[in-house]
Amino acid sequence: MTLGIGLRFTNLTAKPLWTDEFSTIVFSLGHSFKAVALDQIVTLDDLLQPLQVEPQAGIRQVIGNLLNESNHPPLYFVLTHWWLRLWSSSEGLVSVWGVRSLSALFGVAAIPAVFGLSWLAFHSRLIGQIAAALMAVSPFAVYLAQEARHYTLPVLWVIASLGCLVLAARAVYYRTPFSVGLGLLWVVINTLGIATHYFFVFTICAEALVLLSLGLIQSWRERGVWQPSFWGRLGGVALGTLAGGLIWLPFLQSTQDTGLTQWIYRGDRTGLALLDPLGQALAGWITMLYLLPIQAESELIVTISGAALILLVLWTLPKLYAGCKIQYAKSGKRLAMQVLGGFVVKAIAIFLGITYLLEIDLMSAFRYNFAYFPAVIVLIAAALAALWRTEPRIQPKPGWLARLWSSVMSGGKRTVILIGLFSFLGGLTVVTNLGYQKTHRPDVVAAVIQDSAEIPVLVAIAHRTHGQTGRLMGIAWELKHATDPTAAENTQFLMISQGKSPKFTTTVMREALERSPRPLNLWLLNFQRPTETELLDSFLRKQNCNPDDDADSVDGYRYQLYQCESGSQSEST
């Protein structure tokens, strides 16, 4: 618990806020992204206004704005709304520590929760202790906990639901009564899970497949004997969960045309590109246990870290396989290995099936794999617990120091301790921002803009959804909290609506330039459509705005500087 708390709260506010976290903040405060005007110049304070805490905003506004403008269920946002009321704001703006700390606390709670799941599944305190230790230091777990998003809370629901699955599987296997109380509890957990994140449905589907396959095997062994009352209760759980999930179907349908999920659809993969999701999945699975500084600035460190990770995985996999074989050979542990192992395999199959068959690239955002992550931790813990108890092949030399060292580091204990230490290094890699950096990097763009802010600056972005508003908010937030206030004072912002004619873009830009002083540094962000960029470039050159350098890019942003000198601004398009 000490390690877990330390890792999750270290440098909690050091990383930049990014688009998804701004969504959490705005909706949890009961605000709307629509409060920021489109197609006209806005000041930095206007852009950050939805991030201000207003006591009069309540739960009704939180749920209403979220369901109207986003594609997520409201439970986590409601909890965040209450949580943010406990923390004071800076200059009226929300507290970064406050908004991220709730997710971090849920991440800490997963440590004892996964201990409980392990004990429930294997009746082994050792497996529970190792699972808790792995959850405390896992790079993937630390990354999720430092995101102001709804991932660590559904991890708790996954753990609770898996506990019900284990008990249900025992009831199926041993043909013992399945209590009504447990069934009702399972329905409540599943309903809360769906109300936190829609991808919790993948957890439920994998659990259903596990029970179905286990029931078919038992039926085959018992020559087709089924117990209607027994399966009727499980059917009641399924119907109750379905009812709890269908509540959100109308809201899901209403958000299909908002463009918020277009980035995840990938139907253009051919050739070797078809292997990309598998590569992304492998990289993500590794981070559940290991991570090294693969995002360091030094290319040498990145290369060494990548090679070391490969060697570390190749060293670890045979040991985990051997540990799993040992546990599976034990009659008292076999059912738990079958249930949790089958759950992980089926969940991964669901993710890959959706990725390849429906062309929805779930692997490109590995954070969604929270749906089966706790089961992976428990299975690794079970394998390591088997290794922990293996006897040393070589007897220690005489001497108390040698005997002490051998007792601590004998046999598989050395392996388990080394794996734990390497996993801890992975957690440190995350908190020091050398791995699992934020998906978008507004801090990098803000630093570049700040270097050109000795004269007035206008930052314009191609706007499609509130995701682009969040990108601008990230830049504005960094400028607002910079040590030199000049950039914040000199910078204004412009969001140009997309989906209209290219001429509309130039019209809005012309009006903005007419209202801006000269000389002016104009930054264009994320204008990527060829016809749009060519027309805009031609228009800006006629307005005496010339590109300073070629366009550059960083995660989430493609940016280009135009230097607008004094001259005629009335050139017609």
Side-chain angles (χ1 to χ4, degrees), residues 322-361:
C324 287
K325 284 185 65 176
I326 293 172
Q327 294 288 19
Y328 191 80
K330 300 176 182 179
S331 58
K333 305 291 191 294
R334 184 175 302 161
L335 179 60
M337 293 295 291
Q338 287 177 336
V339 171
L340 294 178
F343 168 78
V344 170
V345 170
K346 290 172 175 60
I348 292 174
I350 290 172
F351 272 77
L352 291 177
I354 291 174
T355 297
Y356 281 104
L357 298 179
L358 301 182
E359 298 179 343
I360 301 176
D361 194 358

Side-chain angles (χ1 to χ4, degrees), residues 417-480:
I417 292 174
L418 286 175
I419 289 175
L421 287 175
F422 281 122
S423 188
F424 176 64
L425 288 177
L428 289 178
T429 298
V430 175
V431 301
T432 54
N433 208 28
L434 297 174
Y436 265 128
Q437 294 179 352
K438 293 298 182 181
T439 305
H440 299 159
R441 296 298 305 274
D443 55 325
V444 175
V445 184
V448 175
I449 292 174
Q450 190 171 1
D451 290 339
S452 68
E454 68 280 355
I455 63 174
V457 173
L458 177 62
V459 182
I461 192 170
H463 185 275
R464 298 173 183 84
T465 69
H466 64 67
Q468 285 74 47
T469 310
R471 283 171 170 81
L472 271 195
M473 284 179 170
I475 296 172
W477 183 278
E478 294 296 320
L479 295 177
K480 177 79 171 180

Side-chain angles (χ1 to χ4, degrees), residues 26-28 30-32 34 58-72 74 77-78 248 251 254-255:
V26 171
F27 293 127
S28 296
H31 296 163
S32 167
K34 295 179 180 179
I59 298 301
R60 179 178 299 178
Q61 288 77 19
V62 173
I63 296 176
N65 289 330
L66 177 70
L67 296 181
N68 287 331
E69 300 180 33
S70 187
N71 53 359
H72 295 297
F77 297 85
V78 170
W248 309 107
F251 302 105
S254 65
T255 60

